[in-house]
Amino acid sequence: LTSLASSIQNFHFDNVLMNASGVHCMTTQELDELYASPAGSFVTKSGTPNARVGNPEPRYHQLELGSINSMGLPNNGIDYYLDYALDFQAKHPDHPIFLSVSGMSPSDYTLLAEKIQASDFNGLTEFNLSCPNVPGKPQIAYDFDTTEQILTDLFKIFTKPAGVKLPPFFDLAQFDQMAALLNRFPLTFINSINSLGNGLMIDPATDTALIRPKGGFGGIGGAYAKPIALANVRAFRQRLRDDIAIIGTGGVTTGRDVYDLILCGADMVQLGTVLQVEGVACFDRLNHELEAVMAEKGYTTLDDFRGKLQTIQ
Ligand SMILES: O=C1NC(=O)NC(C(=O)O)N1
């Protein structure tokens, strides 16, 4: 699979696995480790206009079937990640990477876009429209009007490869509405899904919420998220323009889960909770497990089965 070429438009990645923003990507050291790993590419922690401390701890907890987090966008600021990206691309011109950015208000997205547009960054930019964990702030992409405004303002000035990180949707009319909106913009990709917003889990010994922020409310990731991730990838693949690539994120713990996201239409696959739990060893394990599933089916490339989910006739 390492020779596998999966492309997002003009970009070619030597394999489809990469980290999900927020996991193993806060510091230059963690980003360097991702480059040194078998991951095909990597994405930075969402950079905000100014560095942020984020929410009070405990703000992350591993669960039996996944994770809960209410980090609150702690990050070193957009300049830190942009500086890293510019230095990285000078050293590794043939290894395109993703810069994730998040605004604290709609106007922040234009500010972030202007900064990246003015820079020499030539990778892909992921505009995070779905953080569920900043107290008082909504998951932007649940508000269609605000999303339309942000994308309209953004694409007036941004001409580099861009995508949006979406929250999970749970209603077919919302898939229709969001896809119709996204199809109006020159997006290179969408990334679906972000964590399942505002879940709650309990410490059985103390009858207390597991994490401190927001009375214990946080985004759910891991195996719990798989059915929702599959449905969102499938629904957007069925509705989006063919030239908009889809990064599938959510619920991956085995190579079969990677296979299933690709079967639903994913061009690349991001790993969150499994990378947090297992570390960079998960990339080799999952690539080998994916290879085994493909071999079992007689497939040699992802194009043999991408988007070919069958339905019961
Ligand atoms: O977009 C995000 N999704 C999450 O699940 N957590 C982080 C965060 O809280 O920073 N952001």
Side-chain angles (χ1 to χ4, degrees):
L1 272 182
T2 50
S3 61
L4 181 90
S6 161
S7 70
I8 287 191
Q9 284 198 335
N10 307 321
F11 292 91
H12 291 271
F13 297 98
D14 56 8
N15 80 55
V16 290
L17 297 181
M18 60 185 288
N19 70 303
S21 179
V23 182
H24 207 289
C25 58
M26 183 76 77
T27 64
T28 55
Q29 181 188 332
E30 287 184 312
L31 293 164
D32 285 344
E33 284 170 8
L34 288 178
Y35 172 66
S37 83
S41 182
F42 60 79
V43 58
T44 65
K45 170 67 184 177
S46 297
T48 50
N50 302 300
R52 287 173 52 83
V53 172
N55 292 339
E57 297 181 332
R59 60 192 187 182
Y60 173 88
H61 209 287
Q62 191 177 318
L63 306 172
E64 186 189 354
L65 300 175
S67 64
I68 185 168
N69 92 84
S70 193
M71 308 303 284
L73 288 174
N75 75 95
N76 291 316
I78 175 66
D79 293 333
Y80 176 96
Y81 300 107
L82 187 51
D83 288 349
Y84 178 86
L86 294 173
D87 178 59
F88 180 92
Q89 69 184 30
K91 288 178 193 159
H92 313 290
D94 298 331
H95 198 92
I97 61 171
F98 294 72
L99 191 56
S100 174
V101 295
S102 198
M104 304 315 294
S105 66
S107 61
D108 273 357
Y109 287 90
T110 306
L111 183 150
L112 292 160
E114 282 165 349
K115 186 177 277 264
I116 297 165
Q117 181 70 22
S119 79
D120 292 332
F121 179 60
N122 60 24
L124 303 98
T125 302
E126 181 175 284
F127 292 92
N128 184 356
L129 302 181
S130 45
C131 177
N133 300 323
V134 179
K137 299 281 184 184
Q139 289 164 263
I140 293 171
Y142 286 152
D143 178 331
F144 293 95
D145 293 338
T146 302
T147 300
E148 179 180 30
Q149 193 55 58
I150 287 171
L151 295 180
T152 301
D153 294 346
L154 191 159
F155 283 111
K156 279 177 186 159
I157 53 121
F158 201 75
T159 61
K160 298 183 176 184
V164 289
K165 179 71 172 283
L166 298 173
F169 295 96
F170 303 89
D171 176 285
L172 296 193
Q174 287 185 339
F175 286 133
D176 294 340
Q177 199 176 349
M178 181 50 76
L181 175 56
L182 295 171
N183 278 333
R184 289 173 32 208
F185 296 96
L187 287 160
T188 297
F189 69 95
I190 68 157
N191 182 347
S192 173
I193 59 175
N194 205 321
S195 56
L196 312 181
N198 295 294
L200 173 65
M201 283 293 259
I202 299 168
D203 179 343
T206 61
D207 292 359
T208 309
L210 276 177
I211 56 175
R212 180 184 304 275
K214 295 171 58 179
F217 283 56
I220 302 296
Y224 296 111
K226 178 171 177 177
I228 311 304
L230 293 182
N232 276 257
V233 168
R234 171 73 168 176
F236 281 114
R237 189 64 285 164
Q238 291 176 314
R239 293 165 170 81
L240 290 178
R241 292 193 326 257
D242 289 348
D243 65 298
I244 300 179
I246 297 183
I247 299 180
T249 305
V252 173
T253 57
T254 69
R256 176 76 210 196
D257 300 328
V258 178
Y259 180 91
D260 288 343
L261 280 167
I262 296 166
L263 201 59
C264 290
D267 294 283
M268 293 187 78
V269 172
Q270 290 188 351
L271 308 174
T273 303
V274 68
L275 174 58
Q276 180 67 38
V277 169
E278 195 171 324
V280 294
C282 70
F283 291 113
D284 257 346
R285 175 176 69 82
L286 292 168
N287 265 325
H288 288 126
E289 289 178 3
L290 172 62
E291 208 164 23
V293 175
M294 290 171 66
E296 188 186 298
K297 304 260 181 185
Y299 295 146
T300 54
T301 73
L302 299 188
D303 288 335
D304 290 341
F305 65 99
R306 178 178 289 114
K308 297 199 169 130
L309 171 70
Q310 301 299 305
T311 52
I312 299 170
Q313 299 307 318

